[in-house]
Amino acid sequence: MIRIFALRALLFAGLWWILAEGRTDGWPLCVVATAAAMWASTRLWFPAPKPIRLAGLPGFLCYFLWNSIRGGVQVAHMALRGRTSLQPALIELAVTLPPGGARVLMVNALSLMPGTLGVDLHETGLRLHVLDDRLPIEAEVRALEAAITTLFGKQP
Amino acid sequence: MLDWLAMVLLLAGAFFFLAGTVGLLRFPDVYSRLHALAKADNLGLGCVLMGLSLQAESLVTALKLLLVWPLVLAASAGVGFAIARRARALGIQPWRKGEP
């Protein structure tokens, strides 16, 4: 517990240092800002029952970066070709991720992945809007799901 | 060399912003417009920030520029989902191929 809070305080102080562009003469304000951020984080960001594994982070970031580039290029291409290139649909998929942080991350990340947009998240499933239902959407979603599973570590 | 790389990244960023805006204007409904905004603009912003941070005067300024990206990314992914869910709750049907 102490370790989690120490890490957070270090993170917030680091963010402040970056925002202040490396100047250290305003350090009293840094202390105040860090304390305020700590207070807000205890209200909003509870220690998760299943935190992410730091070791899984680089792999996930690479996956995410690569697929945001693919998603951006694909949608730019469709935009330049106009609406004749679209074949939109709403689809329902089951989610296998546990409720909580993992699912929230998934539905948010889907908006940046190629061809998909999260529309709704409920107990058992996920509703997606897809730009072109001829694309292998389910494979993409399962790949993202696998990447998030790796990020959070094996389920107990 | 760095200047050239920065210029290529800035031009690529401008292109993706343009494509996102074209998508916003040409796509038929709220859902597909959200696709264009979220994906193309985030890639554009990423390119612009990378290009700018290559030309930054100090490391910490470059870090500050790069910090903007994940923050905007989180915001626009969350907002995209929220708008789409609300549109669905209001009963807005997605455009289908063949409709005007």
Side-chain angles (χ1 to χ4, degrees):
Chain A
M1 200 64 179
I2 301 270
R3 198 167 148 262
I4 292 176
F5 282 109
L7 276 177
R8 279 187 198 177
L10 207 62
L11 176 70
F12 294 138
L15 282 178
W16 176 269
W17 180 75
I18 291 174
L19 286 179
E21 302 196 348
R23 290 172 52 167
T24 47
D25 49 353
W27 67 267
L29 214 52
C30 172
V31 174
V32 174
T34 305
M38 287 298 289
W39 178 80
S41 86
T42 55
R43 302 297 299 269
L44 301 171
W45 182 18
F46 299 103
K50 191 93 182 80
I52 63 167
R53 296 181 315 129
L54 280 183
L57 202 55
F60 180 75
L61 286 181
C62 288
Y63 174 85
F64 181 82
L65 211 62
W66 169 239
N67 282 284
S68 356
I69 295 172
R70 281 183 57 219
V73 169
Q74 189 186 75
V75 84
H77 192 222
M78 286 174 169
L80 297 178
R81 281 167 58 204
R83 64 172 70 181
T84 49
S85 62
L86 302 181
Q87 187 170 318
L90 278 178
I91 59 173
E92 293 266 355
L93 286 177
V95 271
T96 55
L97 292 171
R103 279 192 189 183
V104 173
L105 176 64
M106 164 134 174
V107 76
N108 280 295
L110 274 174
S111 304
L112 303 169
M113 299 290 107
T116 52
L117 174 74
V119 173
D120 209 352
L121 179 66
H122 39 86
E123 293 296 306
T124 52
L126 181 69
R127 185 176 286 135
L128 292 177
H129 182 264
V130 300
L131 274 182
D132 186 345
D133 61 6
R134 291 162 294 189
L135 297 172
I137 297 297
E138 180 150 14
E140 301 262 9
V141 175
R142 295 301 166 218
L144 175 67
E145 214 168 41
I148 293 178
T149 307
T150 319
L151 176 66
F152 279 81
K154 279 273 164 279
Q155 298 309 314
Chain B
M1 182 63 205
L2 269 188
D3 278 351
W4 277 98
L5 191 58
M7 200 172 79
V8 169
L9 282 167
L10 288 174
L11 284 174
F15 167 75
F16 284 114
F17 271 113
L18 180 71
T21 310
V22 169
L24 180 67
L25 294 172
R26 290 176 90 179
F27 280 175
D29 66 352
V30 57
Y31 304 102
S32 35
R33 286 178 180 151
L34 282 172
H35 282 272
L37 275 191
K39 295 189 244 289
D41 282 13
N42 277 322
L43 188 52
L45 181 69
C47 290
V48 167
L49 290 172
M50 286 264 284
L52 287 177
S53 62
L54 284 179
Q55 294 189 314
E57 284 165 14
S58 65
L59 178 66
V60 70
T61 315
L63 285 176
K64 189 176 176 181
L65 284 166
L66 291 180
L67 187 64
V68 172
W69 196 53
L71 294 177
V72 173
L73 218 65
S76 80
V79 165
F81 173 61
I83 295 177
R85 189 169 62 167
R86 185 74 188 131
R88 184 71 195 151
L90 287 173
I92 298 176
Q93 292 300 320
W95 177 85
R96 296 204 163 266
K97 204 175 185 69
E99 287 175 13

